[in-house]
């Protein structure tokens, strides 16, 4: 087995910046697909930030200085509606490493179900970040890969928890805005 070359800290540091996202989502139950483009902003936030403190309170945990907190904001344009609907939001992720390559992620709200949620993560031998979240009725699995320093690829699958059937799949290509590195 090959030793990982990237730690979670390094993976997160590589992810900081502004990204343009092109996403294709396939909702299998309805046999429909959606294409969307987004601007995504990923930045470190201080572990004493009030949003981070609130997440620890929600989980009834003591603030952990070992945690790595990031904010992910996005602005999306989707072709799902005829009027090319625009949406935006923000989520806070706190990575609590068990070791250099695995741990738990605390979130202020989930991706698949809009509730507070936690995920397990690990970096595999190819330096892909793998995230698994078990919600009330679904299970989300995601793999994020760097194809180059400024191009990421994300694959995700959402399954029904009751019968393990695949509900939705998606693929996202993300391209970093180079000028954002200088900010």
């Amino acid at each position: 087995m090959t030793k990982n070359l990237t730690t979670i800290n390094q993976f997160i540091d590589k992810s900081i910046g502004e990204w343009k996202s092109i996403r294709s989502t396939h909702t299998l139950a309805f046999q429909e697909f959606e294409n969307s483009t987004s601007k995504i902003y990923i930045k470190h936030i201080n572990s004493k930030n009030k949003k981070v403190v609130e997440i620890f309170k929600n989980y009834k945990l003591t603030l952990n200085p070992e945690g790595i907190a990031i904010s992910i904001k996005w602005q999306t344009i989707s072709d799902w509606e005829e009027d090319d609907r625009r949406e935006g939001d923000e989520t806070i992720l706190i990575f609590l490493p068990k070791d250099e390559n695995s741990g738990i992620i605390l979130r202020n709200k989930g991706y698949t179900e809009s509730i507070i949620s936690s995920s397990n993560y690990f970096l595999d031998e190819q330096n892909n970040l793998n995230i698994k979240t078990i919600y009330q009725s679904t299970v989300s699995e995601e793999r994020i890969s760097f194809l180059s320093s400024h191009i990421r690829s994300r694959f995700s699958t959402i399954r029904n928890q009751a019968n393990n059937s695949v509900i939705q799949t998606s693929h996202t290509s993300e391209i970093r805005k180079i000028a954002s590195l200088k900010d």
Side-chain angles (χ1 to χ4, degrees):
M1 184 160 91
T2 308
K3 183 173 170 31
N4 288 21
L5 301 175
T6 302
T7 65
I8 191 60
N9 292 29
Q10 292 166 330
F11 192 94
I12 291 169
D13 286 345
K14 283 175 62 173
S15 298
I16 300 301
E18 180 180 337
W19 298 82
K20 179 176 182 178
S21 167
I22 304 165
R23 180 180 181 140
S24 177
T25 302
H26 300 210
T27 304
L28 304 177
F30 300 113
Q31 297 183 11
E32 295 181 339
F33 65 91
E34 171 189 15
N35 291 316
S36 60
T37 58
S38 303
K39 284 186 179 179
I40 300 172
Y41 307 91
I42 303 173
K43 68 178 186 175
H44 284 285
I45 56 175
N46 189 299
S47 62
K48 294 179 183 173
N49 178 295
K50 66 180 181 178
K51 293 177 183 179
V52 173
V53 171
E54 186 68 28
I55 292 169
F56 276 98
K57 283 182 186 176
N58 287 339
Y59 284 95
K60 297 176 176 51
L61 295 172
T62 305
L63 193 62
N64 183 340
E66 304 288 315
I68 306 158
I70 62 172
S71 163
I72 303 175
K73 291 183 182 181
W74 63 92
Q75 198 82 40
T76 302
I77 300 171
S78 170
D79 70 357
W80 190 258
E81 301 284 333
E82 288 186 28
D83 61 354
D84 284 344
R85 185 178 55 186
R86 291 178 184 260
E87 293 183 1
D89 207 349
E90 175 187 22
T91 190
I92 305 297
L93 304 180
I94 303 167
F95 289 78
L96 299 174
K98 292 180 186 173
D99 56 43
E100 289 183 333
N101 304 100
S102 67
I104 296 171
I105 303 171
L106 304 179
R107 305 169 186 246
N108 62 327
K109 64 182 152 200
Y111 169 73
T112 303
E113 296 177 33
S114 194
I115 57 174
I116 66 166
S117 60
S118 63
S119 308
N120 290 307
Y121 75 85
F122 71 93
L123 282 162
D124 62 27
E125 289 85 12
Q126 290 79 41
N127 298 316
N128 301 312
L129 177 60
N130 296 273
I131 302 171
K132 183 174 184 177
T133 310
I134 299 174
Y135 294 99
Q136 292 173 344
S137 61
T138 60
V139 176
S140 170
E141 294 181 280
E142 184 172 25
R143 184 180 72 227
I144 305 170
S145 307
F146 275 92
L147 304 178
S148 73
S149 297
H150 305 295
I151 299 174
R152 295 187 345 161
S153 178
R154 290 190 296 138
F155 294 95
S156 66
T157 304
I158 300 170
R159 296 178 182 273
N160 179 309
Q161 198 176 109
N163 61 17
N164 204 33
S165 62
V166 176
I167 298 169
Q168 188 178 78
T169 62
S170 68
H171 174 258
T172 307
S173 296
E174 298 172 341
I175 304 162
R176 185 193 317 266
K177 182 177 176 183
I178 303 296
S180 72
L181 295 175
K182 298 174 186 168
D183 298 339

